[in-house]
Each structure stands twice: as C-alpha cells, then as structure tokens.
Amino acid sequence: MSFYEDMGRSKVTLGSLIVAAVLFAAVNIFSNSAFKSMRLDLTEDRLFTISQGTREVLGSIEEPINIRLYFSKGLGERSPVHSLYYARVRELLEQYRDISGGMVRVELNNPEPFTDAEDRAVAFGLKGVPINAAGEMGYFGLAATNSTDGQEVIAFFNREREQFIEYDLTKMIHTLSNPDRKTIGLISALPIDGGRGGNFGRSRPWAVSDQIRDFFEMRTLGHDIQAVPQDIDMLMIVHPKGLEEKALYAIDQYVLGGGKALVFIDPNVEWQMLQGAPMADPAPREFNRLLKAWGVKLVENKVAADLETARRVNAMAEGRPVVSDYVVWLGLREGNFNASDVVSAGIKRINVATPGILEKAQGAGTQMTPLITTGADAMMIDASKVSFNPDVVSLFRSFKPGGKPLTIAARIRGDAESAFADGAPTTAKESAADEGGENKDNDEDNPSRPHLSRSAAPINVIVVADTDMLSDRFWSRTGRILGQRILIPFANNADFVVNALDNLAGSDALIGLRGRGRTERPFHLVEKIRRAAETRFRAKEQELAARLKAVQGSLEKLQKKEGKAREMILTDQDKAAFETFRIQMLSIRKELRGVQHALRRDIESLDGWLKFINIAAVPIVLGLGMLTLVYARRRRAKIPVEA
C-alpha cells in the first residue's frame, strides 16, 4: 500500500510541476502583451522615463513620421559601449511609437558591408567609421522622413550628446511635424544683417547672419514698431539702443503674450570703437527697464574680467610692443558653459569682448539660469577703463580676483509683470489727437490690443551681456579656395546663437526638455578602491622603479667593460658584481610585478564577489528559500520525512 501511495504522490508532484511550468509560460506570454507599455525605471537619472514635453509633442503629430535606425552589428561586436547606446536609442524610439499611437514608425536596419542597406544609409548622409583592417565601415545613425519629403538625419550618434538624446529625437520629430521655417524678427542698432534691413546702406552682412539664415527666415524690424507682427515666431534683439517707448511696449507685450526672445545687450560695444565712434552711453539703459521686469538686470557701467580665460593680445607698454593677457577679452571654454542646458551644452569655445554682467533682479518672480559664466575668480572693472584706448598691461597688473564667477548669459523663465504698469504709453501726437476727439482704435496700422499686466504663460527669454561675440573678427576668419570665399570658424559663437534660436523656436514642450545621464554608469566603489590601492602601493612602486633603474645603470657600465674585453680583462670582482646585479634586477622586477598586481587585487576580489552574487548567490538564496518553504509545509501537514 505504501508503494502505491508513493506512486500516487509522485504522479501528483510531477503533474503539479508540469502545470506550474505551463502557468509560468502562460503568465510570461500574457504579461509581455498586456503590460508591454508599463515600465519601472529605477535608474539614477530616470534614463528611460519619457518626459511630459515629449508626450505632448508625440500627441500632436497629425501625419506619420518614418524613422529608420541604422546600426551595424559589427560595430556592436567591437564596441560594447556603442551597443549599449544603441539599445537605449532603440528602446526610446519604441516608446515613441507606442505613445504616438503608431504615428511614429520605427524601422531597424543592419547596414552590412556592400548591401543595399549600406547604400541607403550612405544616401541618407549617414557617416561610417572603420571597424576592421579590411576597411569595412560601421554605422550608427538615423534618418527620419515625413509625408512631404522632409528629412532629418543624425549622421552618427555621438556619445557626447547622449544626455540630450531625448531632446534631439523629440526636436527632430517636432521639426518634421511642423515643416515650415520659423521667422525671426531682428531689432538691432548694429548692422549684423547688412543692407537687408535698409538701415545701414550696402554693408556686407555679418557671418552670423548668414549662419542664421541657413535655418530660419529673418526679417528686420524698425525701432519704431507699434506691435510685433503676428507672423514673427521669435525676436532677436541686438544692442537695443534708441528704441521708442512704443517699441519697448511692443516687445514687453510680445514676451508677456508667450513670444520668445534672444537679447544681446552690451555695456561696451567694441564694434563701434573699431569704427572710430565710441559711444558715451553704450549700454541702452532704457532697455534695462524691460530686463528688470523679466527678473534680470545688467550691472551698469561694469564689465567682466577673468584672468583664467583671458586671451593673449599684442599691446603697447611704455612705448614698446608686448604680449599680455587682456583680462576683458575672454576665450571661454567648456567649464564656463552650463552642461545641463541644451543651448550651451556641447559648446567648446566662445570668444567675448568686454562682456557685461547679469544679476538677478531684486524681488524677481522668474528663475534665472546661467548659461555662460566666467571662471571662479573673476573681477568687475569699470567700463570707462576699456571704452577708449585701454591699458592692457595695467589691467593685467591690477587684476584682483573677486572670488566668484560672473554670469555673462542666462535663461529667464517664469511668470513676469509688465514693465508698463499703467498700460500702453501715449505719445505727444496721440495725446493731441485725443484732445481733438479723434479715435485711433480702428486704425489698421495701429491695432488696439488688450494690455497684459502679467504674463499669460511663463516667459522664456535668453539674455547675453555681449554683442561683440556676434562680430566676425571674434569667432571666424575668411579664406578662399578655388576663388570661392569660405568661412573658417575658430570659436563656436555662431553655434551658440543658432542653438539658442533653435531652442526658442520649438514648442514650450520641447523647450522644457533637459539633459539626462548616460547609460554608461561609473563604478564608484571600484574607483574608491582603486584610489586607495594606488595610495598604498604607488610609493613602493616608485621606490622599486628607482632601485631597478640604478641596478640597470650599474649593469650597463659593466656591459661596456665586457664589450671592451680586448682592451682590458674583467676581474673576478667585476664578474661577481655583474652576476649580483643581474640577480638583483630579476628580484626587483619580480617584486615590482607583485606590487603592480596588488594594485588590482582588491578590484579583482570585488569583481569576483560581484560575479558570485550575480551568478550563484541569488539562485542559492532562492533555492534555500524554496527548500525551507517545502519543509515548513510538510511539517504543518505532519507528513513524516523519510530518510
């Protein structure tokens, strides 16, 4: 009877295992389909969580957008880092497809050498990198198209842009779903657009103007505008000097109504000095009224000086030419740019000249985020000292660090009040017309619009306290190849301007996107162990290396004697010393290898424990837990455990 009971129990156990296996497979299949869109993101920087701004952009797509992602399998085999990056891009695009309801169509391609897929990748403009000695190319790029033959391409995914991958992909989709070029309204007291605006004769446009027109339409607006035209997508305001009260009010209402603006304002305009016309009041004080209403102010009559980033120039000192650091001409580098804002991230170098200083206005309700700053030990200098024939050497000698960085460019966001609390200003002509009983409300040239005393939505303005960075001489030079004039940039001034305009031209959802972290995470504990090991063993390693060098030197001397054996005979003492030095060298080398191995011992030990935890520890814990559960259930059922 006991035999049959055991057989029955075995069949029940076997049947239970089969049912459990079937249920396990069924649950996995069901969860993969039912919970496909549900994700749990436990990464430090929320790498795989789609932002609300991206969801808004994807939800507004009206026509399908086709995205072709190209990644060479051979590149992934030779570069695991790129393989990991590819996985992140692919998963993001798959989420985009699901969120957009299929309006974003994703196609994955492996452009193997000498295939049609490689030909299509090259035709789209993707760039390959050599992956072997045979010259085969590896590709990792993307081509996106819309229904009207619009095309956007990422030639190769640069890992330096990884933290902005969501921004780049979302901007691409937003551009394709809104293909019309944006229009910039230019208000400038400097002839950056040459004679196109009709205010500066036939002068040649500055190079930055040509760069902007590669991406945008640009229209020059007068200093006496009554209102910003409806078809202007954003304003670019450069040295707003001499603006009439009505024009200031028009800008104020445009920004409060949701319009975007890029402002360049300067306490000391070098371009005017180069033209031989220094200005008594180069900083347009009337515009500071608007800046303060937006939550920022330009420090009056001060320029930023920084010894750390000062550019070396030729100057005169005591009647002789010298080369000196000009502390108000700054060559700003990566550490001076806000790496978390897409406008300034990725910029390598920007040259500025006698830049101003931005500070947050007292009582401001907006948020001021620095985009460009000086070094940590900068100094404020009176603008009068650099406005005409500055003493470069004297400025260098009298430099005293202020102990904090100074802000040169900033983004302003938030709710703002109008700079015109009493409403629209009234000119003398309008006052006379009002007294005469004339009604201007129906005049088509001066449309009546409701006054905004407060922003209808959070404003978004970028302010730069320098106009000279736009001048050709500070960021580019021209050359000629085969009779054709070409531009050769040596700084990223124009890139920053185009980045800022491109960012402001996007929707509010796109502007709200920020950089994230990288998929490649540093092992902080491993780095800590490595530094501790180096501290312990590096001194010993250096001591042994010095001893080894000394012994090798002694051996070389004896070897030279041995080489001259025909001229002199080595004594027994020399031979013994030679053998002793040889033994010492072998011993020191062995000891040195031991010390170098010790540098890695703790890391290798940690690596072993991590592998054990990942591979063996978890299954062992689960197994022990299962055995404990089975044993406890048997005890509760009072089933005797047979030996």
Side-chain angles (χ1 to χ4, degrees), residues 184-253:
I184 298 171
L186 175 66
I187 301 175
S188 176
L190 302 179
I192 70 168
D193 206 27
R196 287 172 176 152
N199 297 325
F200 302 98
R202 292 182 174 272
S203 61
R204 186 179 63 81
W206 294 6
V208 70
S209 175
D210 294 330
Q211 297 283 301
I212 293 171
R213 287 182 178 274
D214 286 341
F215 301 93
F216 305 95
E217 300 292 338
M218 189 155 64
R219 188 194 312 168
T220 300
L221 304 179
H223 282 50
D224 57 349
I225 59 171
Q226 303 293 302
V228 177
Q230 295 287 345
D231 58 345
I232 295 296
D233 296 297
M234 78 203 88
L235 288 177
M236 180 173 172
I237 304 170
V238 182
H239 192 55
K241 185 173 179 60
L243 292 183
E244 295 184 2
E245 193 81 352
K246 280 283 190 179
L248 291 172
Y249 178 73
I251 296 171
D252 172 86
Q253 293 296 288

Side-chain angles (χ1 to χ4, degrees), residues 416-430:
E417 303 282 346
S418 172
F420 296 83
D422 298 329
T426 303
T427 64
K429 183 178 179 181
E430 290 173 333

Side-chain angles (χ1 to χ4, degrees), residues 450-497:
H451 170 72
L452 295 176
S453 60
R454 187 173 179 81
S455 56
I459 68 169
N460 189 15
V461 177
I462 294 176
V463 182
V464 183
D466 186 48
T467 60
D468 301 305
M469 67 172 291
L470 303 175
S471 179
D472 296 5
R473 68 190 297 262
F474 287 106
W475 67 275
S476 67
R477 64 178 182 272
T478 57
R480 287 192 175 275
I481 295 181
L482 300 177
Q484 184 179 4
R485 181 177 175 273
I486 61 170
L487 184 72
I488 307 173
F490 52 81
N492 302 115
N493 295 27
D495 297 329
F496 175 83
V497 175

Side-chain angles (χ1 to χ4, degrees), residues 539-552 588 592:
K540 183 65 175 177
E541 182 185 29
Q542 290 176 349
E543 177 189 343
L544 290 173
R547 286 174 53 192
L548 179 62
K549 186 176 181 180
V551 170
Q552 288 174 334
I588 292 173
L592 183 59

Side-chain angles (χ1 to χ4, degrees), residues 474-636:
F474 287 106
W475 67 275
S476 67
R477 64 178 182 272
T478 57
R480 287 192 175 275
I481 295 181
L482 300 177
Q484 184 179 4
R485 181 177 175 273
I486 61 170
L487 184 72
I488 307 173
F490 52 81
N492 302 115
N493 295 27
D495 297 329
F496 175 83
V497 175
V498 173
N499 281 358
L501 292 172
D502 190 38
N503 181 252
L504 293 174
S507 67
D508 288 331
L510 190 62
I511 291 170
L513 295 181
R514 287 294 179 267
R516 299 169 183 266
R518 292 175 176 263
T519 51
E520 181 187 9
R521 307 301 300 169
F523 290 94
H524 300 292
L525 181 57
V526 171
E527 285 297 308
K528 184 178 179 181
I529 291 174
R530 181 189 59 77
R531 287 193 294 269
E534 285 192 356
T535 301
R536 293 197 304 270
F537 298 112
R538 192 62 71 191
K540 183 65 175 177
E541 182 185 29
Q542 290 176 349
E543 177 189 343
L544 290 173
R547 286 174 53 192
L548 179 62
K549 186 176 181 180
V551 170
Q552 288 174 334
S554 300
L555 276 175
E556 288 177 2
K557 291 180 181 179
L558 288 175
Q559 285 172 342
K560 288 179 180 179
K561 285 186 178 181
E562 189 177 15
K564 297 179 180 179
R566 295 178 181 178
E567 300 176 9
M568 59 179 298
I569 300 176
L570 290 177
T571 64
D572 293 338
Q573 185 177 359
D574 289 337
K575 292 179 180 180
F578 186 88
E579 187 64 25
T580 300
F581 286 142
R582 192 188 302 275
I583 294 173
Q584 284 182 2
M585 184 177 68
L586 294 175
S587 175
I588 292 173
R589 282 180 175 174
K590 182 178 180 180
E591 191 175 354
L592 183 59
R593 284 195 300 271
V595 170
Q596 291 170 340
H597 177 69
L599 286 170
R600 295 288 307 171
R601 187 177 301 151
D602 290 342
I603 295 177
E604 290 171 355
S605 175
L606 177 62
D607 181 61
W609 277 107
L610 288 175
K611 289 179 179 178
F612 172 76
I613 292 172
N614 287 328
I615 298 172
V618 173
I620 290 174
V621 171
L622 290 176
L624 291 175
M626 184 60 70
L627 290 174
T628 303
L629 179 61
V630 171
Y631 181 76
R633 292 184 63 182
R634 287 195 174 190
R635 290 201 58 181
R636 284 199 301 270

Side-chain angles (χ1 to χ4, degrees), residues 72-94:
S72 300
K73 184 179 178 181
L75 176 62
E77 291 173 349
R78 289 162 177 77
S79 176
V81 172
H82 283 95
S83 182
L84 184 64
Y85 191 8
Y86 165 71
R88 181 182 180 188
V89 174
R90 187 194 67 230
E91 290 178 3
L92 272 176
L93 290 175
E94 289 172 349

